Amino acid sequence: MNYRIEQREHEVAVEISGRLTFNDHAKVRALIEELSNSAPLRQVLDVRQLEFVDSTGMGMLLIAREELAKVAKTLVLYQPQGQVKRVLTVAELDGVITIEN
Amino acid sequence: MRKAPAIFASGIGADRMGRLAALFDVGTAVCDVAMTGTFSEHALLLTASPENGVLDDLFRRGMGRCIEVDGYSDPEVREAACRADRSDLFLSLTTATTYRGSVSRWVMQGIGLRQVLTPERRDDIELALQEAISNAVLHGNLQMDSLDGVSVAALERFHAETALRLELPAFADRRVEVAVTLGRAVTIEVVDQGVGYIWSPRGGGVASGRGIALIATISDDFEVLQNGRCMRMSFAL
């Protein structure tokens, strides 16, 4: 998994690409830290380029959401595609995490 | 009768390769893997601990069976080769290599070259396979418990303990084996060498433990065998 953070006026946008799986926890941890320390309250994970995610990867996104909620920030998944969209449905996470299409 | 496999080697010293060649049938050619070109369906790769990207490339070029010989004795390599011979696709890798690699992607590349799948079917099989592999690595061979909370602190603890165990040969050298047979269905077995577990359809939290539930939902049939060390999943075509 790779990510790129873009600071905008009222939000932070993070473009995530590649595969997000069980061996990516160090990167997710670093990402959560960067997001926690950035000022905007709205944090958008742009997952259009994310090709594949497993349940551990989804779990890590839920941890991100939880940690950001502690500092009154909201996390939004932006435009999940293909396999990522499918996992959100199959794992019934589409009601748990905010998704914008 | 199956054709004798063409055996390819990668990163294995001449001494060991000579001993391994002697274990296979007389006349079986063993050659160093080439940088370009494709492989026949009978090809078998014997490799030292592969560097990132090597297996990715070889599976894209048609290699379907691979045994990591590091951590295996010569007879163990021969036995694994017999199991490989009964499968259309086969990988026997150490936990350390499986952890670092993208095994589910390599296997899906192999399946994709041998079987037409719709993108949806492909995605589902890859997810189920990925879940079974992550289960075999983390909870099977590394004997990790699930995350103990939905927090960065819990993630940190999990990461630190995983990294620690990956440095210990007693955990890191355990094998993960993936065997695929193709026919009217895609059947995949993922086997680990952990202590096993008793699967219960209940259980599983929000941030972890969803893996087997996902497999149950996605596959047409699945069984937990060998006291939890083997997951067998089928996907009708």
Side-chain angles (χ1 to χ4, degrees), chain A residues 7 9 12 14 28 31 35 37-38 41 45-46 50 52-53 60 66 71-73 90 93 96:
Chain A
Q7 299 277 347
E9 201 178 339
V12 179
V14 188
V28 175
L31 171 62
L35 292 180
N37 293 332
S38 69
L41 295 180
L45 284 190
D46 179 346
L50 186 62
F52 183 86
V53 66
M60 291 191 274
E66 203 75 8
V71 285
K73 292 175 181 175
V90 176
L93 292 174
V96 178

Side-chain angles (χ1 to χ4, degrees), chain A residues 19 23 29 55 67 86, chain B residues 99 124 126 131 152 156:
Chain A
R19 296 165 67 85
N23 52 11
R29 210 205 151 288
S55 67
E67 290 289 341
R86 168 88 175 138
Chain B
Y99 185 87
D124 277 358
E126 181 166 1
E131 296 301 334
V152 164
E156 188 93 309

Side-chain angles (χ1 to χ4, degrees), chain A residues 55-93:
Chain A
S55 67
T56 312
M58 273 302 164
M60 291 191 274
L61 293 183
L62 291 173
I63 288 173
R65 172 182 161 275
E66 203 75 8
E67 290 289 341
L68 292 170
K70 283 183 199 164
V71 285
K73 292 175 181 175
T74 53
L75 184 74
V76 170
L77 284 196
Y78 184 67
Q79 290 198 356
Q81 310 285 318
Q83 192 268 352
V84 179
K85 197 173 174 178
R86 168 88 175 138
V87 178
L88 288 165
T89 312
V90 176
E92 295 172 351
L93 292 174

Side-chain angles (χ1 to χ4, degrees), chain B residues 9-58:
Chain B
S10 173
I12 304 173
D15 279 6
R16 176 123 209 233
M17 212 48 247
R19 289 203 313 273
L20 286 170
L23 282 177
F24 288 91
D25 300 334
V26 179
T28 302
V30 180
C31 47
D32 278 331
V33 73
M35 299 302 285
T36 56
T38 56
F39 300 98
S40 81
E41 60 180 296
H42 303 289
L44 171 68
L45 174 73
L46 304 180
T47 180
S49 290
E51 285 174 30
N52 275 343
V54 171
L55 291 184
D56 213 60
D57 173 54
L58 296 177

Side-chain angles (χ1 to χ4, degrees), chain B residues 22 29 38 45 60 65 71 74 100 116 120 134 151 160 166 173 193 198:
Chain B
T38 56
L45 174 73
R60 198 176 306 127
R65 291 176 225 167
D74 293 348
R100 284 196 317 268
V116 180
E120 292 76 20
S134 119
S151 66
L166 282 168
D173 287 352
Q193 295 182 320
I198 297 163

Side-chain angles (χ1 to χ4, degrees), chain B residues 24 44 46 65-69 72-87 90-93 175 177:
Chain B
F24 288 91
L44 171 68
L46 304 180
R65 291 176 225 167
C66 168
I67 298 166
E68 181 178 354
V69 301
Y72 250 179
S73 68
D74 293 348
E76 282 172 327
V77 172
R78 185 72 187 99
E79 284 161 25
C82 289
R83 293 194 294 280
D85 200 38
R86 292 192 291 270
S87 315
F90 180 87
L91 285 111
S92 170
L93 303 170
R175 314 293 290 195
E177 225 169 76

